[in-house]
Amino acid sequence: MVTIADVAKLAGVSKATASRAFSRPEIVSPDTAMRVHSAAEKLGFVANNAARLLAGGRSGILALVVPTLDNSYFAPIIAGAQSRADAAGYQLTVVVHPLESAAEIPPFERLRRQVDGLIVIAPRGSDDFIESALGSTPTVLVDREIDGTPSVIADSAAAFGRLVQGLADAGHRRIVYIGGPAGSWQDRQRTQAAQGAAASAGVRLAVVGPYPSTFAAGIEASDAVRAEDPSAVVPYATALGLGVQFAYLSAGDRPPLVSSERAIVQALGHDDVPAIDADGHQLGSVAAEMLLTRISTPDAPPERQRLDVELELGSLRDLAGSDA
């Protein structure tokens, strides 16, 4: 039976290096990885990653926990995390848990016992509740920060603040922010950033919500938006903004300026609409890399990263209208 030692000997590397070429290829030079894989192919060696992990007391499974499947924002995060997990020989499973009620604890504890680590996206419960639910399982939070727990966020709050400032600079004086899901940490950050920018610019910012991040919720929110008579609307999520615009257009009215994301803006050919874009794939990949590091070195200090979020203002001044 061919072993990893046989592969290492033929490739002219140590057994540890040969093993890393299969388990952590990103930390091995391309030339070395090529030699190891070429040797494995010649010898007919197939790396049994599951057996290797089980021998080390691991399941080889990572869980990515989302609060809902209704928000398309999570899709690229899942893809990024899965890509990185695959490269490391891990299986990624996706599970829905908002982590905000005691009823979730028993099924969540069962999940924890079956996986090597958790990537938890935007949990809605209190800090104490989440810390208690996570226990000692290696975990990385996404779009939520809690002291003592590794985390990575898309710094969308900063982008929302810049957007409100840009709207004010373009002449908008009545702006509405549509709040996201109740209990959302990111929503609190975005609300504070938007309010701070509005106060600094001397413009009126009304906050409506909270609302789920769905198209239907945007339609529901349209009445509250209309009541504020805004010239510009900044929704927590693209789906909310699209719902508001649909409601206006269905009533035969011209909607206010509504910020969106680049893909929507480009598809509609509206270069005068501001777009906020978080790189979800990068967010998921970074989270998975942090989790793998946490699993291999559990005593390392908890890391916290904030990733930049792109903002394209567009030609806002063209739509400031009578507010200018």
Side-chain angles (χ1 to χ4, degrees):
M1 178 179 177
V2 179
T3 67
I4 192 69
D6 298 322
V7 174
K9 183 177 180 180
L10 182 58
V13 299
S14 69
K15 182 178 175 181
T17 297
S19 178
R20 282 193 291 271
F22 292 105
S23 63
R24 298 291 301 278
E26 76 283 355
I27 65 174
V28 177
S29 72
D31 179 66
T32 298
M34 185 179 298
R35 294 205 320 271
V36 171
H37 284 275
S38 176
E41 185 176 351
K42 289 178 181 178
L43 295 172
F45 174 82
V46 178
N48 190 337
N49 189 62
R52 177 178 60 82
L53 290 168
L54 287 171
R58 297 177 184 170
S59 67
I61 302 173
L62 306 178
L64 190 149
V65 182
V66 296
T68 176
L69 293 177
D70 291 334
N71 191 344
S72 61
Y73 172 76
F74 300 139
I77 300 178
I78 294 169
Q82 181 171 321
S83 177
R84 182 63 194 89
D86 285 346
Y90 277 84
Q91 175 69 36
L92 184 77
T93 184
V94 179
V95 185
V96 177
H97 279 293
L99 284 183
E100 58 184 344
S101 72
E104 295 178 77
I105 296 302
F108 191 75
E109 286 183 343
R110 288 197 299 272
L111 173 68
R112 284 175 43 203
R113 291 195 295 269
Q114 297 171 20
V115 301
D116 296 332
L118 302 163
I119 298 171
V120 182
I121 304 180
R124 299 173 186 168
S126 67
D127 288 359
D128 289 344
F129 179 82
I130 293 169
E131 286 181 298
S132 175
L134 297 177
S136 59
T137 305
T139 301
V140 172
L141 296 175
V142 174
D143 277 349
R144 174 75 180 261
E145 292 178 343
I146 297 176
D147 289 343
T149 303
S151 61
V152 55
I153 70 166
D155 195 5
S156 54
F160 273 62
R162 297 197 306 271
L163 172 55
V164 171
Q165 182 63 59
L167 290 168
D169 291 344
H172 291 272
R173 292 293 176 267
R174 299 187 307 278
I175 304 170
V176 167
Y177 172 72
I178 306 176
S184 165
W185 182 88
Q186 273 283 22
D187 181 58
R188 293 196 297 273
Q189 307 306 305
R190 295 176 189 181
T191 301
Q192 292 170 7
Q195 289 175 325
S200 177
V203 299
R204 180 173 178 269
L205 179 86
V207 177
V208 299
Y211 293 99
S213 301
T214 64
F215 182 82
I219 296 175
E220 178 188 347
S222 63
D223 288 340
V225 172
R226 281 179 178 278
E228 300 296 338
D229 189 28
S231 63
V233 175
V234 179
Y236 171 85
T238 297
L240 280 168
L242 293 175
V244 167
Q245 290 172 293
F246 177 83
Y248 268 82
L249 293 171
S250 295
D253 299 327
R254 181 186 179 187
L257 173 64
V258 181
S259 63
S260 189
E261 60 187 69
R262 185 184 298 113
I264 301 296
V265 172
Q266 291 177 341
L268 296 176
H270 291 172
D271 60 1
D272 46 14
V273 175
I276 293 178
D277 276 282
D279 188 337
H281 196 278
Q282 179 192 23
L283 196 56
S285 180
V286 170
E289 181 63 36
M290 290 175 66
L291 180 57
L292 292 169
T293 300
R294 194 70 179 170
I295 291 170
S296 61
T297 54
D299 295 329
E303 184 180 1
R304 177 179 289 183
Q305 290 194 42
R306 291 191 171 193
L307 306 182
D308 291 336
V309 172
E310 292 186 18
L311 167 66
E312 294 182 0
L313 285 173
S315 52
L316 297 178
R317 199 170 300 278
D318 294 342
L319 293 178
S322 60
D323 273 2

